[in-house]
Amino acid sequence: SRKEFVRFARTPGKSLCTMNTNHCLLIATSLAILPTLASAAELTVIAVNKLQLARTSQTIELTKGQLQPLGAKELNTIHVKDATGKELLCQAVDTDFDAYRKADIVIFQADFAAGETKTFTATTGAKQVYTKDQFKAHGRFVRERFDDFAWENDRIAHRTYGKGLETWAGEPLTSSTIDIWSKRTPRMVVDEWYMVDNYHADTGDGADFYSAGPSRGCGGNGLWAADKLWTSKNFVNSRVLAKGPIRVLFELDYEAFDVNGMKVSEVKRISLDAGSQLDRFHSVCKPEKPGALVSGIGLKKTTGAQKVFDAATGTLVVWEPVAKNAGQQGLAVVVDPKSLEKGTEDKLNYLLLAKCGADNSATYWAGFCWDKAGQITSAEAWKKHVAEFAQGLASPIEVTVAAK
């Protein structure tokens, strides 16, 4: 059909205007398939770890633009294989939450040795359909538990609190803290723990040992002004942008709260990837009048905690006993050292203060480990992990994409 169209169009004395209806349909069909015929059958993806550190569970992101040569109408039809031909778990993610709700990146993961370069192949195929066992990250709004939002990956779990908890007669709490759920299984447990409603007891998979209360918990934030941390109430709305199997990504809305006499509202975007001990937080504030803002990101103070602050790497690391004699845990906050103002503390929290950008946003990472989970079992190992994590942020895996 394509050859016929080209031959007809080049025939002397013929014009597109004199063609009959069938020919017009032929032209329209041919034009519609020309981009597909010109599309690449597969793309080569080269990923380079420039650090002399082994790096596990590294998330590779491929943008819609990079994948365009494949001609895929939907990114959930993208498939990726490693150099041996093994198909890898992929996830299409909508990062901009626009009206079309279409994915704009595809992610997959790989482990890298120190200084290693890896090659992958991207193609199109059937729509990705996942089994329950493939999920390594998940999260959801839990209306039945007074508006919790809970999320997890194969290492850690969290929850934070919605408006319904503020007025619960049983145990009301007004706090935008980030809570910890300690788990020692790679399985997704959030739904199961809510279902049995016994998550304060460890029956083999872990439990909720942590009491965040009005503190910042594990990476909760606020705004620092007049030598004080000002914090919002509970979130009032949530949106899930991605729910696994590799990345959980969601947004929380916070109503305007007082910051030294000025009202400021906030939208917080949180993501957690499989294999990671730390979440990514991106907070966008909307003040009622212009002016420089300073974000305060905190870790709850506890008795017996060991604290290490390193301004050069923008890290705050804590190692502390878990309640109920349930072992030890490490907590951490990481910010871009260029935005860091200082480390400080208030009555409830150890804090890192970081300057917000011109758009009143702040990006940081926070998370934890539990020694009984078995991956990180000492204070030294936790400090090393956080230091290497910060190095990885400064030197992300470099990715190039080319048509074969």
Side-chain angles (χ1 to χ4, degrees), residues 16-17 36 60 106 143 147 182 188 227 234 237 250 257 267 269 301 326 353 392:
L16 299 184
C17 296
T36 303
I60 310 299
V106 170
R143 183 180 297 279
D147 296 353
S182 304
M188 302 295 97
D227 292 323
N234 304 26
N237 193 26
F250 59 96
F257 60 102
V267 177
R269 177 177 284 202
K301 286 182 174 179
L353 305 185

Side-chain angles (χ1 to χ4, degrees), residues 111-288:
D111 298 336
F112 290 82
E116 185 179 16
T117 296
K118 286 194 168 184
T119 301
F120 308 90
T121 300
T123 59
T124 57
K127 176 184 175 181
Q128 295 279 2
V129 178
Y130 308 110
T131 64
K132 181 180 70 173
D133 293 340
Q134 288 178 301
F135 275 78
K136 299 178 180 180
H138 179 60
R140 72 176 180 92
F141 175 58
V142 188
R143 183 180 297 279
E144 66 269 26
R145 222 302 296 195
F146 309 104
D147 296 353
D148 285 353
F149 198 102
W151 69 103
E152 64 181 316
N153 68 0
D154 51 343
R155 296 291 189 93
I156 60 175
H158 294 282
R159 69 173 169 178
T160 192
Y161 306 117
K163 195 170 182 64
L165 191 60
E166 292 180 7
T167 55
W168 178 35
E171 190 180 345
L173 176 62
T174 298
S175 176
S176 54
T177 189
I178 303 297
D179 197 11
I180 284 174
W181 276 14
S182 304
K183 54 184 282 189
R184 51 181 167 191
T185 173
R187 294 189 305 106
M188 302 295 97
V189 300
V190 161
D191 286 340
E192 180 182 315
W193 286 9
Y194 275 113
M195 181 176 66
V196 300
D197 194 22
N198 188 34
Y199 45 79
H200 290 99
D202 185 357
T203 59
D205 289 335
D208 175 12
F209 299 113
Y210 198 70
S211 178
S215 78
R216 296 299 81 204
C218 181
N221 66 316
L223 290 173
W224 186 263
D227 292 323
K228 175 183 174 181
L229 186 68
W230 307 77
T231 60
S232 65
K233 294 183 178 181
N234 304 26
F235 73 85
V236 295
N237 193 26
S238 65
R239 291 171 296 282
V240 178
L241 282 71
K243 55 182 179 180
I246 297 171
R247 173 176 294 172
V248 55
L249 172 66
F250 59 96
E251 290 182 340
L252 304 173
D253 295 337
Y254 294 87
E255 290 181 334
F257 60 102
D258 182 59
V259 179
N260 195 31
M262 177 177 65
K263 292 295 183 182
V264 181
S265 61
E266 180 189 14
V267 177
K268 190 180 298 179
R269 177 177 284 202
I270 303 172
S271 65
L272 177 62
D273 286 1
S276 179
Q277 302 286 158
L278 288 91
D279 310 74
R280 182 183 187 272
F281 294 80
H282 181 68
S283 168
V284 179
C285 292
K286 298 178 181 178
E288 62 182 357

Side-chain angles (χ1 to χ4, degrees), residues 264-328:
V264 181
S265 61
E266 180 189 14
V267 177
K268 190 180 298 179
R269 177 177 284 202
I270 303 172
S271 65
L272 177 62
D273 286 1
S276 179
Q277 302 286 158
L278 288 91
D279 310 74
R280 182 183 187 272
F281 294 80
H282 181 68
S283 168
V284 179
C285 292
K286 298 178 181 178
E288 62 182 357
K289 55 186 178 182
L293 299 179
V294 176
S295 181
I297 307 108
L299 300 175
K300 176 189 173 184
K301 286 182 174 179
T302 58
T303 302
Q306 305 171 38
K307 176 178 69 76
V308 178
F309 166 59
D310 186 350
T313 59
T315 58
L316 172 63
V317 181
V318 167
W319 186 260
E320 64 187 26
V322 180
K324 301 181 181 179
N325 296 316
Q328 302 282 319

Side-chain angles (χ1 to χ4, degrees), residues 17 62 66 212 324 397:
C17 296
L62 304 178
Q66 288 174 314
K324 301 181 181 179
I397 300 294

Side-chain angles (χ1 to χ4, degrees), residues 35-36 39-40 67-74 78 124:
T36 303
S39 297
L67 294 167
Q68 189 175 9
L70 290 176
K73 291 184 178 179
E74 300 287 347
I78 299 296
T124 57

